[in-house]
Amino acid sequence: MNPDKIIIRFEQVADQSEGPVKRLVGFVRAKNMLKLFDAADLEANPREAKAGRVTADIIESIRDTPETFPFKTKGVLVGSSDYEELQRNRYELRFENPKIEGILDGGHNMLAIGTHILAVALGDDKLLRRIKGWSQLKEAWAENRQDIEALRKGETEDPGPLDFLVPLEILVPSDLESEDTVEEFNQSLLDICAARNNNVELKLETKANQKGFYDELRKALPAAMAGRVEWKTNDGGEIKVRDLVALAWIPLSVADLPVDIRVPPKAIYSNKGVCAQEFDRLMSDDRVSRASGGDYTHELHSSAVHSALLIAGQLPELYDRIYLAFPDAYNGDGEGRFGSRQGVKR
């Protein structure tokens, strides 16, 4: 099976078109969504799905009231730039660019549904507590795919455990024959995705990451450190990206920027929100970066900003070194103990 090519079968479906976008909306049985878990990912979704009270409530609703579940949730939103309408309410979807295509909204629904299916397939309700996020689900899903398929093929109950309905909305180009329409559709996906996720407010940093504003900063960091950063909401990183953005304003403040944007030095440690806002404004300027390429995220083309970000990538290690060495250096001057100073917090 080509993992980037799947067939979805609706029980009921309607289509609507406006401008470059066509919407297919209806109900899909859970057993007909299994290949969506195989192929699509949450890379296009600005928020990483994380287990919690919300997913627990979704699973409870699936188990206790499957007949009304599709009316209690807005379901899942999927985007695909290439598709084909088949017979019997079936649609073949092809995901060419995972940065903008795939699951655009409804990640928590997908996480809850997938966790429920896995628990039923393996007969292990402890999975409901062990799977904490989308990455863990995808791992467990791949490892136990044969058991999931066996569950689907062996269903004899009426209705079976995979028979519940899920609201599914698929966005596709309104005219596949027109290159301009497909191009316009692809450009609109990022905005649609961000707007749909705004009903649960996204952090400024998450939106900036989705636009590619942090790509050069990520490249400038040591690989081990870059992997520990929370680039998007709930992705599990322990280092907050706004801390790195605040440090980046140290070299940015002395760079010959093409746009007159600066932050007060005090804000670098006392108001990191302002640092993040001004960085977003800087990177949004056409003189600094522009949306281009197949994924329509921004690419940096200011050499001054690029040079500053290369330096910014070295600052976290310098920060850690100063943080560790400063107390001993202070204590060595014989003027008092670092830990006894009023401004020091353990």
Side-chain angles (χ1 to χ4, degrees), residues 221-249:
L221 289 170
M225 183 172 290
R228 295 167 52 209
V229 177
E230 186 185 59
W231 298 105
K232 59 192 264 188
T233 305
N234 293 336
D235 72 358
E238 69 211 65
I239 301 172
K240 303 305 179 187
V241 68
R242 68 167 47 188
D243 291 342
L244 300 180
V245 170
L247 287 176
W249 275 107

PDB file of all heavy atoms in Angstrom, residues 221-249:
ATOM      1  N   LEU A 221      20.568  25.880  15.867  1.00  0.00           N
ATOM      2  CA  LEU A 221      20.772  25.263  17.175  1.00  0.00           C
ATOM      3  C   LEU A 221      21.486  23.921  17.043  1.00  0.00           C
ATOM      4  O   LEU A 221      21.352  23.241  16.024  1.00  0.00           O
ATOM      5  CB  LEU A 221      19.414  25.015  17.854  1.00  0.00           C
ATOM      6  CG  LEU A 221      18.649  26.230  18.359  1.00  0.00           C
ATOM      7  CD1 LEU A 221      17.240  25.805  18.771  1.00  0.00           C
ATOM      8  CD2 LEU A 221      19.364  26.881  19.537  1.00  0.00           C
ATOM      9  N   PRO A 222      22.226  23.497  18.050  1.00  0.00           N
ATOM     10  CA  PRO A 222      22.733  22.121  18.070  1.00  0.00           C
ATOM     11  C   PRO A 222      21.554  21.152  17.966  1.00  0.00           C
ATOM     12  O   PRO A 222      20.499  21.388  18.564  1.00  0.00           O
ATOM     13  CB  PRO A 222      23.424  22.008  19.435  1.00  0.00           C
ATOM     14  CG  PRO A 222      23.751  23.418  19.824  1.00  0.00           C
ATOM     15  CD  PRO A 222      22.661  24.268  19.238  1.00  0.00           C
ATOM     16  N   ALA A 223      21.720  20.076  17.208  1.00  0.00           N
ATOM     17  CA  ALA A 223      20.604  19.161  16.937  1.00  0.00           C
ATOM     18  C   ALA A 223      19.961  18.635  18.214  1.00  0.00           C
ATOM     19  O   ALA A 223      18.726  18.537  18.311  1.00  0.00           O
ATOM     20  CB  ALA A 223      21.094  18.002  16.070  1.00  0.00           C
ATOM     21  N   ALA A 224      20.787  18.305  19.215  1.00  0.00           N
ATOM     22  CA  ALA A 224      20.242  17.756  20.460  1.00  0.00           C
ATOM     23  C   ALA A 224      19.346  18.764  21.163  1.00  0.00           C
ATOM     24  O   ALA A 224      18.320  18.399  21.744  1.00  0.00           O
ATOM     25  CB  ALA A 224      21.383  17.325  21.387  1.00  0.00           C
ATOM     26  N   MET A 225      19.717  20.051  21.087  1.00  0.00           N
ATOM     27  CA  MET A 225      18.911  21.076  21.736  1.00  0.00           C
ATOM     28  C   MET A 225      17.645  21.361  20.934  1.00  0.00           C
ATOM     29  O   MET A 225      16.564  21.538  21.500  1.00  0.00           O
ATOM     30  CB  MET A 225      19.723  22.354  21.919  1.00  0.00           C
ATOM     31  CG  MET A 225      18.961  23.459  22.654  1.00  0.00           C
ATOM     32  SD  MET A 225      20.002  24.866  23.059  1.00  0.00           S
ATOM     33  CE  MET A 225      21.057  24.146  24.320  1.00  0.00           C
ATOM     34  N   ALA A 226      17.751  21.393  19.612  1.00  0.00           N
ATOM     35  CA  ALA A 226      16.585  21.672  18.763  1.00  0.00           C
ATOM     36  C   ALA A 226      15.484  20.654  19.002  1.00  0.00           C
ATOM     37  O   ALA A 226      14.292  20.978  18.938  1.00  0.00           O
ATOM     38  CB  ALA A 226      16.998  21.675  17.292  1.00  0.00           C
ATOM     39  N   GLY A 227      15.879  19.415  19.302  1.00  0.00           N
ATOM     40  CA  GLY A 227      14.900  18.365  19.555  1.00  0.00           C
ATOM     41  C   GLY A 227      14.199  18.485  20.886  1.00  0.00           C
ATOM     42  O   GLY A 227      13.225  17.772  21.140  1.00  0.00           O
ATOM     43  N   ARG A 228      14.659  19.397  21.748  1.00  0.00           N
ATOM     44  CA  ARG A 228      14.057  19.574  23.071  1.00  0.00           C
ATOM     45  C   ARG A 228      13.177  20.818  23.148  1.00  0.00           C
ATOM     46  O   ARG A 228      12.651  21.136  24.209  1.00  0.00           O
ATOM     47  CB  ARG A 228      15.156  19.673  24.133  1.00  0.00           C
ATOM     48  CG  ARG A 228      15.988  18.405  24.299  1.00  0.00           C
ATOM     49  CD  ARG A 228      17.232  18.673  25.129  1.00  0.00           C
ATOM     50  NE  ARG A 228      16.905  19.338  26.396  1.00  0.00           N
ATOM     51  CZ  ARG A 228      17.732  20.167  27.027  1.00  0.00           C
ATOM     52  NH1 ARG A 228      18.926  20.446  26.509  1.00  0.00           N
ATOM     53  NH2 ARG A 228      17.376  20.719  28.171  1.00  0.00           N
ATOM     54  N   VAL A 229      13.001  21.487  22.020  1.00  0.00           N
ATOM     55  CA  VAL A 229      12.247  22.749  22.009  1.00  0.00           C
ATOM     56  C   VAL A 229      10.776  22.475  21.707  1.00  0.00           C
ATOM     57  O   VAL A 229      10.442  21.654  20.855  1.00  0.00           O
ATOM     58  CB  VAL A 229      12.831  23.720  20.968  1.00  0.00           C
ATOM     59  CG1 VAL A 229      12.005  25.006  20.907  1.00  0.00           C
ATOM     60  CG2 VAL A 229      14.284  24.038  21.290  1.00  0.00           C
ATOM     61  N   GLU A 230       9.892  23.180  22.401  1.00  0.00           N
ATOM     62  CA  GLU A 230       8.459  23.116  22.105  1.00  0.00           C
ATOM     63  C   GLU A 230       8.166  24.104  20.966  1.00  0.00           C
ATOM     64  O   GLU A 230       7.846  25.261  21.197  1.00  0.00           O
ATOM     65  CB  GLU A 230       7.617  23.469  23.338  1.00  0.00           C
ATOM     66  CG  GLU A 230       6.128  23.272  23.089  1.00  0.00           C
ATOM     67  CD  GLU A 230       5.256  23.724  24.253  1.00  0.00           C
ATOM     68  OE1 GLU A 230       5.333  24.917  24.605  1.00  0.00           O
ATOM     69  OE2 GLU A 230       4.524  22.901  24.805  1.00  0.00           O
ATOM     70  N   TRP A 231       8.292  23.629  19.744  1.00  0.00           N
ATOM     71  CA  TRP A 231       8.080  24.487  18.578  1.00  0.00           C
ATOM     72  C   TRP A 231       6.600  24.729  18.324  1.00  0.00           C
ATOM     73  O   TRP A 231       6.214  25.751  17.767  1.00  0.00           O
ATOM     74  CB  TRP A 231       8.710  23.859  17.340  1.00  0.00           C
ATOM     75  CG  TRP A 231      10.190  23.684  17.442  1.00  0.00           C
ATOM     76  CD1 TRP A 231      10.865  22.512  17.659  1.00  0.00           C
ATOM     77  CD2 TRP A 231      11.206  24.697  17.348  1.00  0.00           C
ATOM     78  NE1 TRP A 231      12.223  22.736  17.701  1.00  0.00           N
ATOM     79  CE2 TRP A 231      12.465  24.065  17.512  1.00  0.00           C
ATOM     80  CE3 TRP A 231      11.173  26.079  17.141  1.00  0.00           C
ATOM     81  CZ2 TRP A 231      13.666  24.768  17.473  1.00  0.00           C
ATOM     82  CZ3 TRP A 231      12.365  26.775  17.101  1.00  0.00           C
ATOM     83  CH2 TRP A 231      13.594  26.123  17.264  1.00  0.00           C
ATOM     84  N   LYS A 232       5.744  23.766  18.698  1.00  0.00           N
ATOM     85  CA  LYS A 232       4.300  23.920  18.538  1.00  0.00           C
ATOM     86  C   LYS A 232       3.615  23.388  19.783  1.00  0.00           C
ATOM     87  O   LYS A 232       4.180  22.582  20.519  1.00  0.00           O
ATOM     88  CB  LYS A 232       3.793  23.200  17.285  1.00  0.00           C
ATOM     89  CG  LYS A 232       4.068  21.719  17.246  1.00  0.00           C
ATOM     90  CD  LYS A 232       3.794  21.154  15.859  1.00  0.00           C
ATOM     91  CE  LYS A 232       2.421  20.569  15.745  1.00  0.00           C
ATOM     92  NZ  LYS A 232       2.198  19.858  14.474  1.00  0.00           N
ATOM     93  N   THR A 233       2.405  23.844  20.031  1.00  0.00           N
ATOM     94  CA  THR A 233       1.698  23.526  21.262  1.00  0.00           C
ATOM     95  C   THR A 233       1.583  22.021  21.476  1.00  0.00           C
ATOM     96  O   THR A 233       1.193  21.278  20.583  1.00  0.00           O
ATOM     97  CB  THR A 233       0.282  24.137  21.223  1.00  0.00           C
ATOM     98  OG1 THR A 233       0.397  25.537  20.982  1.00  0.00           O
ATOM     99  CG2 THR A 233      -0.445  23.919  22.537  1.00  0.00           C
ATOM    100  N   ASN A 234       1.959  21.590  22.675  1.00  0.00           N
ATOM    101  CA  ASN A 234       1.816  20.197  23.123  1.00  0.00           C
ATOM    102  C   ASN A 234       2.746  19.210  22.435  1.00  0.00           C
ATOM    103  O   ASN A 234       2.498  18.002  22.483  1.00  0.00           O
ATOM    104  CB  ASN A 234       0.366  19.693  22.946  1.00  0.00           C
ATOM    105  CG  ASN A 234      -0.610  20.385  23.856  1.00  0.00           C
ATOM    106  OD1 ASN A 234      -0.228  20.902  24.894  1.00  0.00           O
ATOM    107  ND2 ASN A 234      -1.872  20.415  23.470  1.00  0.00           N
ATOM    108  N   ASP A 235       3.816  19.673  21.802  1.00  0.00           N
ATOM    109  CA  ASP A 235       4.685  18.704  21.130  1.00  0.00           C
ATOM    110  C   ASP A 235       5.703  18.060  22.081  1.00  0.00           C
ATOM    111  O   ASP A 235       6.534  17.256  21.669  1.00  0.00           O
ATOM    112  CB  ASP A 235       5.384  19.319  19.913  1.00  0.00           C
ATOM    113  CG  ASP A 235       6.492  20.318  20.277  1.00  0.00           C
ATOM    114  OD1 ASP A 235       6.697  20.561  21.484  1.00  0.00           O
ATOM    115  OD2 ASP A 235       7.138  20.840  19.359  1.00  0.00           O
ATOM    116  N   GLY A 236       5.645  18.428  23.361  1.00  0.00           N
ATOM    117  CA  GLY A 236       6.453  17.742  24.369  1.00  0.00           C
ATOM    118  C   GLY A 236       7.801  18.364  24.657  1.00  0.00           C
ATOM    119  O   GLY A 236       8.531  17.875  25.527  1.00  0.00           O
ATOM    120  N   GLY A 237       8.165  19.439  23.987  1.00  0.00           N
ATOM    121  CA  GLY A 237       9.465  20.060  24.221  1.00  0.00           C
ATOM    122  C   GLY A 237       9.530  20.746  25.574  1.00  0.00           C
ATOM    123  O   GLY A 237       8.561  21.358  26.018  1.00  0.00           O
ATOM    124  N   GLU A 238      10.686  20.649  26.227  1.00  0.00           N
ATOM    125  CA  GLU A 238      10.840  21.246  27.560  1.00  0.00           C
ATOM    126  C   GLU A 238      11.374  22.673  27.503  1.00  0.00           C
ATOM    127  O   GLU A 238      11.285  23.423  28.468  1.00  0.00           O
ATOM    128  CB  GLU A 238      11.766  20.376  28.411  1.00  0.00           C
ATOM    129  CG  GLU A 238      13.210  20.393  27.927  1.00  0.00           C
ATOM    130  CD  GLU A 238      13.942  19.095  28.208  1.00  0.00           C
ATOM    131  OE1 GLU A 238      13.566  18.059  27.653  1.00  0.00           O
ATOM    132  OE2 GLU A 238      14.895  19.151  28.986  1.00  0.00           O
ATOM    133  N   ILE A 239      11.982  23.053  26.369  1.00  0.00           N
ATOM    134  CA  ILE A 239      12.497  24.413  26.201  1.00  0.00           C
ATOM    135  C   ILE A 239      11.458  25.230  25.439  1.00  0.00           C
ATOM    136  O   ILE A 239      11.008  24.815  24.356  1.00  0.00           O
ATOM    137  CB  ILE A 239      13.826  24.417  25.416  1.00  0.00           C
ATOM    138  CG1 ILE A 239      14.881  23.575  26.143  1.00  0.00           C
ATOM    139  CG2 ILE A 239      14.326  25.833  25.208  1.00  0.00           C
ATOM    140  CD1 ILE A 239      16.145  23.362  25.341  1.00  0.00           C
ATOM    141  N   LYS A 240      11.048  26.347  25.986  1.00  0.00           N
ATOM    142  CA  LYS A 240      10.038  27.180  25.337  1.00  0.00           C
ATOM    143  C   LYS A 240      10.666  28.002  24.215  1.00  0.00           C
ATOM    144  O   LYS A 240      11.695  28.652  24.410  1.00  0.00           O
ATOM    145  CB  LYS A 240       9.362  28.110  26.346  1.00  0.00           C
ATOM    146  CG  LYS A 240       8.718  27.374  27.517  1.00  0.00           C
ATOM    147  CD  LYS A 240       7.732  26.316  27.039  1.00  0.00           C
ATOM    148  CE  LYS A 240       7.110  25.558  28.194  1.00  0.00           C
ATOM    149  NZ  LYS A 240       6.285  24.426  27.730  1.00  0.00           N
ATOM    150  N   VAL A 241      10.023  27.990  23.063  1.00  0.00           N
ATOM    151  CA  VAL A 241      10.599  28.668  21.914  1.00  0.00           C
ATOM    152  C   VAL A 241      10.704  30.172  22.150  1.00  0.00           C
ATOM    153  O   VAL A 241      11.618  30.833  21.651  1.00  0.00           O
ATOM    154  CB  VAL A 241       9.799  28.356  20.630  1.00  0.00           C
ATOM    155  CG1 VAL A 241       8.411  28.970  20.663  1.00  0.00           C
ATOM    156  CG2 VAL A 241      10.557  28.836  19.392  1.00  0.00           C
ATOM    157  N   ARG A 242       9.796  30.744  22.963  1.00  0.00           N
ATOM    158  CA  ARG A 242       9.884  32.194  23.184  1.00  0.00           C
ATOM    159  C   ARG A 242      11.137  32.566  23.981  1.00  0.00           C
ATOM    160  O   ARG A 242      11.634  33.690  23.868  1.00  0.00           O
ATOM    161  CB  ARG A 242       8.622  32.742  23.853  1.00  0.00           C
ATOM    162  CG  ARG A 242       8.350  32.331  25.262  1.00  0.00           C
ATOM    163  CD  ARG A 242       7.248  33.198  25.869  1.00  0.00           C
ATOM    164  NE  ARG A 242       6.098  33.328  24.989  1.00  0.00           N
ATOM    165  CZ  ARG A 242       5.085  34.163  25.225  1.00  0.00           C
ATOM    166  NH1 ARG A 242       5.095  34.928  26.299  1.00  0.00           N
ATOM    167  NH2 ARG A 242       4.067  34.240  24.394  1.00  0.00           N
ATOM    168  N   ASP A 243      11.682  31.624  24.780  1.00  0.00           N
ATOM    169  CA  ASP A 243      12.956  31.887  25.460  1.00  0.00           C
ATOM    170  C   ASP A 243      14.089  32.031  24.446  1.00  0.00           C
ATOM    171  O   ASP A 243      14.972  32.885  24.583  1.00  0.00           O
ATOM    172  CB  ASP A 243      13.291  30.757  26.437  1.00  0.00           C
ATOM    173  CG  ASP A 243      12.355  30.726  27.637  1.00  0.00           C
ATOM    174  OD1 ASP A 243      11.685  31.750  27.887  1.00  0.00           O
ATOM    175  OD2 ASP A 243      12.290  29.694  28.312  1.00  0.00           O
ATOM    176  N   LEU A 244      14.066  31.191  23.423  1.00  0.00           N
ATOM    177  CA  LEU A 244      15.092  31.258  22.375  1.00  0.00           C
ATOM    178  C   LEU A 244      14.922  32.517  21.526  1.00  0.00           C
ATOM    179  O   LEU A 244      15.899  33.149  21.131  1.00  0.00           O
ATOM    180  CB  LEU A 244      15.012  30.017  21.487  1.00  0.00           C
ATOM    181  CG  LEU A 244      15.211  28.665  22.172  1.00  0.00           C
ATOM    182  CD1 LEU A 244      15.103  27.538  21.162  1.00  0.00           C
ATOM    183  CD2 LEU A 244      16.563  28.611  22.877  1.00  0.00           C
ATOM    184  N   VAL A 245      13.666  32.854  21.233  1.00  0.00           N
ATOM    185  CA  VAL A 245      13.395  34.055  20.441  1.00  0.00           C
ATOM    186  C   VAL A 245      13.861  35.295  21.198  1.00  0.00           C
ATOM    187  O   VAL A 245      14.431  36.224  20.608  1.00  0.00           O
ATOM    188  CB  VAL A 245      11.896  34.151  20.098  1.00  0.00           C
ATOM    189  CG1 VAL A 245      11.562  35.507  19.484  1.00  0.00           C
ATOM    190  CG2 VAL A 245      11.501  33.033  19.135  1.00  0.00           C
ATOM    191  N   ALA A 246      13.654  35.315  22.516  1.00  0.00           N
ATOM    192  CA  ALA A 246      14.107  36.452  23.326  1.00  0.00           C
ATOM    193  C   ALA A 246      15.624  36.590  23.239  1.00  0.00           C
ATOM    194  O   ALA A 246      16.155  37.692  23.033  1.00  0.00           O
ATOM    195  CB  ALA A 246      13.669  36.270  24.776  1.00  0.00           C
ATOM    196  N   LEU A 247      16.362  35.470  23.365  1.00  0.00           N
ATOM    197  CA  LEU A 247      17.818  35.517  23.236  1.00  0.00           C
ATOM    198  C   LEU A 247      18.241  35.976  21.841  1.00  0.00           C
ATOM    199  O   LEU A 247      19.256  36.656  21.678  1.00  0.00           O
ATOM    200  CB  LEU A 247      18.409  34.135  23.529  1.00  0.00           C
ATOM    201  CG  LEU A 247      18.417  33.667  24.983  1.00  0.00           C
ATOM    202  CD1 LEU A 247      18.943  32.234  25.077  1.00  0.00           C
ATOM    203  CD2 LEU A 247      19.272  34.589  25.848  1.00  0.00           C
ATOM    204  N   ALA A 248      17.454  35.593  20.834  1.00  0.00           N
ATOM    205  CA  ALA A 248      17.798  35.972  19.456  1.00  0.00           C
ATOM    206  C   ALA A 248      17.823  37.482  19.264  1.00  0.00           C
ATOM    207  O   ALA A 248      18.512  38.005  18.371  1.00  0.00           O
ATOM    208  CB  ALA A 248      16.811  35.334  18.471  1.00  0.00           C
ATOM    209  N   TRP A 249      17.079  38.215  20.110  1.00  0.00           N
ATOM    210  CA  TRP A 249      17.058  39.668  19.962  1.00  0.00           C
ATOM    211  C   TRP A 249      18.364  40.315  20.403  1.00  0.00           C
ATOM    212  O   TRP A 249      18.590  41.501  20.136  1.00  0.00           O
ATOM    213  CB  TRP A 249      15.875  40.269  20.708  1.00  0.00           C
ATOM    214  CG  TRP A 249      14.636  40.243  19.877  1.00  0.00           C
ATOM    215  CD1 TRP A 249      13.560  39.443  20.023  1.00  0.00           C
ATOM    216  CD2 TRP A 249      14.390  41.052  18.716  1.00  0.00           C
ATOM    217  NE1 TRP A 249      12.633  39.682  19.035  1.00  0.00           N
ATOM    218  CE2 TRP A 249      13.120  40.674  18.216  1.00  0.00           C
ATOM    219  CE3 TRP A 249      15.103  42.051  18.050  1.00  0.00           C
ATOM    220  CZ2 TRP A 249      12.558  41.260  17.093  1.00  0.00           C
ATOM    221  CZ3 TRP A 249      14.543  42.629  16.919  1.00  0.00           C
ATOM    222  CH2 TRP A 249      13.295  42.242  16.456  1.00  0.00           C
TER     223      TRP A 249
END
